[in-house]
Amino acid sequence: MTAMPQIILHPKKDESLKRFHPWVFSGAVAQKPDHLREGDIVRVVSHEGAFLGVGHFQIGSIAVRILSFSDETIDARFFEKRLSDAYSMRLALGLVNPSNNTCRLVHGEGDGLPGLIIDMYGNTAVVQAHSVGMHEARWQLLDALRKVIPADTLQNVYYKSEGTLPFKADISPEDGYLLGGKNADAFAVENGLKFHIDWLKGQKTGFFVDQRNNRRLLESLSSNRRVLNLFCYTGGFSVYALRGGAQSVHSVDSSAKAVMIAEENVKLNFGEEPRHAAYAEDAFRYLKQLAPATCDLMILDPPAFAKHRGAINNALQGYKKLNLAALQKIAPGGILFTFSCSQVISKEQFRLAVFSAAAISGRQVKILHQLTQPEDHPVNIFHPEGEYLKGLVLYVE
Ligand code: SAH
């Protein structure tokens, strides 16, 4: 057996690892073996040679994503233990039950598995690797999943990483099944509502599981309101608003495919539904032409405007502009659900952008709720960057 390759850090660059932060930045690396390949498992030691952690090596600003702070072997048993911890927590929280079979099983660093996302939709697990190391571990992960989850609950495993790896993974959507697949039933139940999940071609793993609790809150505020769901994707918030007794629901997304599925999802739950209309359109353009005071519950859930630190300022301008447009149009007494899912933008920065929009709009704005991601997207306390979803619910006078 060959020894695990070793990375030596510069003096004093061991501090964040000693506080269990799971990333080693490339600037901290003093020495690494010449033959090291992206995805290799490495031991990280301090300048003085003290063991710090073991993780996946990668090329880019993050050089190592730490999998364990113990000097242990990263093998199928390691993955089985981490997956078992993750699954037990979801079961203990009561997240998997007859009225809800949709949840995130693995949330990267939050579950001690940096670079890995697994979402469960009924008896299908959708696995997404964000690092070469996790890509190379996919078969071990499959074995571990099969050991941890009972066979009747895990019938299909779909591997969806063609858009999340640093190289072009040679996997066509149809070849993505690591397990099952023949009659995979692409529906999931969330809080008693049914959704068609397109894990083959849809965005992320096919659905935005992270809005589950926030959709429920929206439902409770929907009665008799005229709802506008901007950036609706497959209509998650729209379906909840309809169940909540909304007077009307308009769903808008620039993706025609998403809008089509949003319509299907409405039909799946309510049949022909005259209260709902969906538009494939740019949300900014839609807001611009919207007659004022024709909507009294609005959702703004755009894609991440900043994907890296260099984009923060432009993104904050984008959030300000979008929220201003919404505040200018919402009816008096209206409620605005506004979100940012940019990991690099803090809660405070987002709130400041919305504050600026409110100041310019001249409206009275009260914060009713401050929202975040649900409990199946846990934040590793040593890795605050894992808290990526921020939302505000505003009452607009
Ligand atoms: N709220 C959704 C998730 C939104 S994801 C849910 O609960 O499922 C962001 C969505 O914004 C994507 O569906 C994407 O197609 C859409 N989008 C991106 N840019 C847009 C634009 N300029 N106008 C309208 N929709 C846009």
Side-chain angles (χ1 to χ4, degrees):
M1 213 175 102
T2 50
M4 211 187 282
Q6 188 156 293
I7 279 186
I8 304 171
L9 300 189
H10 283 298
K12 299 208 165 60
K13 290 291 182 185
D14 53 356
E15 283 162 15
S16 68
L17 288 185
K18 284 186 175 157
R19 291 195 303 268
F20 305 112
H21 191 281
W23 293 346
V24 176
F25 288 99
S26 56
V29 174
Q31 267 184 57
K32 61 178 171 60
D34 293 336
H35 57 82
L36 207 56
R37 286 169 45 250
E38 183 159 26
D40 283 350
I41 293 170
V42 291
R43 274 178 104 239
V44 181
V45 300
S46 70
H47 194 67
E48 295 73 32
F51 171 82
L52 295 168
V54 42
H56 283 140
F57 171 68
Q58 59 183 61
I59 292 166
S61 74
I62 300 175
V64 185
R65 296 176 116 171
I66 299 291
L67 296 160
S68 175
F69 290 95
S70 307
D71 204 352
E72 64 179 314
T73 311
I74 306 300
D75 54 10
R77 279 197 17 233
F78 167 84
F79 287 118
E80 190 185 325
K81 169 79 174 69
R82 289 282 154 102
L83 286 178
S84 166
D85 290 347
Y87 189 56
S88 309
M89 189 184 92
R90 274 71 178 172
L91 291 181
L93 294 172
L95 282 173
V96 187
N97 59 64
S99 75
N100 193 84
N101 64 17
T102 309
C103 79
R104 175 153 294 190
L105 173 62
V106 174
H107 184 59
E109 285 81 356
D111 284 296
L113 291 166
L116 182 68
I117 295 293
I118 305 180
D119 285 338
M120 291 292 304
Y121 300 113
N123 53 27
T124 299
V126 181
V127 176
Q128 194 166 66
H130 289 253
S131 68
V132 175
M134 284 299 180
H135 172 67
E136 288 178 353
R138 66 196 181 283
W139 296 106
Q140 279 183 335
L141 287 164
L142 173 68
D143 288 344
L145 273 171
R146 295 183 73 172
K147 291 218 171 88
V148 168
I149 304 180
D152 55 340
T153 311
L154 186 78
Q155 290 176 16
N156 312 290
V157 176
Y158 186 70
Y159 185 61
K160 188 179 197 299
S161 303
E162 67 283 359
T164 56
L165 290 167
F167 60 89
K168 183 95 194 73
D170 197 13
I171 317 158
S172 79
E174 288 72 20
D175 291 342
Y177 285 101
L178 305 182
L179 175 72
K182 274 213 174 63
N183 299 308
D185 180 9
F187 293 94
V189 185
E190 188 188 86
N191 288 324
L193 292 165
K194 280 181 269 175
F195 291 95
H196 175 79
I197 315 287
D198 184 7
W199 52 72
L200 257 58
K201 300 206 179 74
Q203 298 179 32
K204 305 277 173 172
T205 63
F207 195 57
F208 289 82
V209 188
D210 56 357
Q211 291 288 21
R212 185 180 55 246
N213 294 350
N214 303 332
R215 291 182 185 125
R216 215 172 186 158
L217 176 65
L218 178 107
E219 176 181 6
S220 73
L221 295 167
S222 294
S223 180
N224 285 319
R225 292 186 180 266
R226 295 162 297 174
V227 178
L228 174 57
N229 183 9
L230 294 169
F231 309 92
C232 68
Y233 187 49
T234 53
F237 283 104
S238 304
V239 171
Y240 279 74
L242 289 165
R243 185 169 71 179
Q247 193 183 110
S248 64
V249 178
H250 291 179
S251 305
V252 178
D253 199 283
S254 56
S255 155
K257 180 87 196 295
V259 165
M260 215 173 73
I261 302 179
E263 283 179 320
E264 275 178 35
N265 282 334
V266 169
K267 207 173 272 177
L268 195 61
N269 288 281
F270 310 106
E272 286 305 324
E273 177 50 89
R275 291 179 298 157
H276 183 245
Y279 305 93
E281 231 187 278
D282 175 79
F284 288 89
R285 205 160 349 137
Y286 188 92
L287 266 178
K288 207 166 183 183
Q289 54 77 47
L290 182 73
T294 52
C295 152
D296 27 35
L297 178 51
M298 205 187 287
I299 301 115
L300 300 176
D301 186 22
F305 284 168
K307 296 237 159 60
H308 52 86
R309 302 209 149 266
I312 290 181
N313 282 336
N314 278 344
L316 289 172
Q317 287 305 316
Y319 288 119
K320 181 173 146 189
K321 192 172 143 211
L322 179 64
N323 281 279
L324 175 59
L327 290 168
Q328 284 169 335
K329 291 295 167 77
I330 198 163
I335 295 177
L336 176 63
F337 277 63
T338 180
F339 294 98
S340 161
C341 60
S342 303
Q343 192 182 58
V344 293
I345 287 184
S346 70
K347 205 160 50 188
E348 292 73 23
Q349 284 171 315
F350 177 60
R351 189 157 151 175
L352 198 59
V354 179
F355 162 95
S356 308
I360 300 169
S361 75
R363 307 285 297 264
Q364 282 297 323
V365 174
K366 295 173 177 163
I367 299 177
L368 305 181
H369 298 274
Q370 303 188 50
L371 305 178
T372 184
Q373 63 220 50
E375 62 273 45
D376 51 347
H377 294 57
V379 181
N380 173 345
I381 200 161
F382 305 114
H383 178 254
E385 296 90 334
E387 187 181 344
Y388 69 100
L389 183 65
K390 308 99 202 161
L392 293 171
V393 181
L394 307 175
Y395 186 78
V396 188
E397 284 165 348

